[in-house]
Amino acid sequence: MLRAALLMTCAAWAGTALAADGTRLPGRATIGPESRDVTLTFLCTTTRSRNETGALSIDLDVPNFEALEKRFDFGAFEGPEGTRKPLTEIAVTQGTRLSAGGRIVDDGHFSLGVAASLRGDAAELRKLRTIAAAVSAGPGSLRWRQESPRKGDTPLLVTVPISGADADRLKAALAPCLKGKEGPK
């Protein structure tokens, strides 16, 4: 159980660094009266050996996050000390509650990520597989609602349109993470 939590946390921290090979989709975020372009990155890394566990992850990249810090506590998600509360709701057909981790990216962006290990993290993996299967099933939109752990903050609301071509790219990229056994619980 502890190993699965550690693997998920590491995948969330490393999400944006690994995302160079992921499938990126543009979206729009609003927080209160402000809005900006954001990027969602879907990533599937497979298990290559007994000691190397793959992961399925979705990362939200928010540029110029510092301008939003009065309305939203990004710092509460950063690093291993970041909150693990399920403050993330991702919806394609119906909403799924998850916990996100995050980090500041060197170019002034903040990356929030949800991830699940392909082994030993069956409950979180099931949730992410449901989301990934829904976005790769066809045209539609994904909605990400990120609550801040700080009382009184405005939630970050993100909408990402998914075209038929996007769904096809996601289906191909995420296929290895959408099949197979979830591994031991």
Side-chain angles (χ1 to χ4, degrees):
M1 180 76 164
L2 181 59
R3 179 175 179 255
L6 178 61
L7 288 169
M8 186 175 100
T9 302
C10 289
W13 298 332
T16 301
L18 295 172
D21 298 328
T23 302
R24 295 176 185 270
L25 299 177
R28 193 82 179 149
T30 59
I31 184 163
E34 294 188 51
S35 67
R36 65 191 61 223
D37 292 331
V38 295
T39 303
L40 219 60
T41 303
F42 294 81
L43 183 66
C44 170
T45 57
T46 58
T47 300
R48 291 185 235 165
S49 70
R50 185 173 188 213
N51 296 324
E52 185 178 339
T53 300
L56 174 61
S57 66
I58 306 171
D59 292 329
L60 169 62
D61 188 40
V62 181
N64 192 20
F65 74 96
E66 297 95 346
L68 301 173
E69 287 186 306
K70 289 182 181 176
R71 289 190 183 92
F72 191 89
D73 186 7
F74 287 95
F77 295 94
E78 190 173 10
E81 298 85 26
T83 184
R84 299 307 302 158
K85 294 178 183 176
L87 300 172
T88 305
E89 183 174 35
I90 300 176
V92 180
T93 53
Q94 76 181 68
T96 302
R97 293 290 281 189
L98 303 154
S99 60
R103 67 186 189 95
I104 298 172
V105 182
D106 58 3
D107 59 2
H109 293 217
F110 194 89
S111 179
L112 285 165
V114 294
S117 167
L118 296 182
R119 287 194 300 221
D121 199 4
E124 288 298 302
L125 182 58
R126 193 171 13 264
K127 291 176 186 179
L128 279 176
R129 279 182 170 164
T130 299
I131 293 165
V135 297
S136 62
S141 68
L142 179 141
R143 291 171 309 284
W144 180 311
R145 176 187 170 92
Q146 184 65 57
E147 295 175 31
S148 173
R150 186 171 58 199
K151 297 219 185 288
D153 279 0
T154 304
L156 179 66
L157 305 172
V158 177
T159 303
V160 177
I162 312 288
S163 69
D166 292 336
D168 290 344
R169 287 185 331 161
L170 287 167
K171 187 181 294 186
L174 302 177
C177 290
L178 296 179
K179 62 181 179 177
K181 296 181 182 177
E182 294 172 353
K185 292 184 181 182

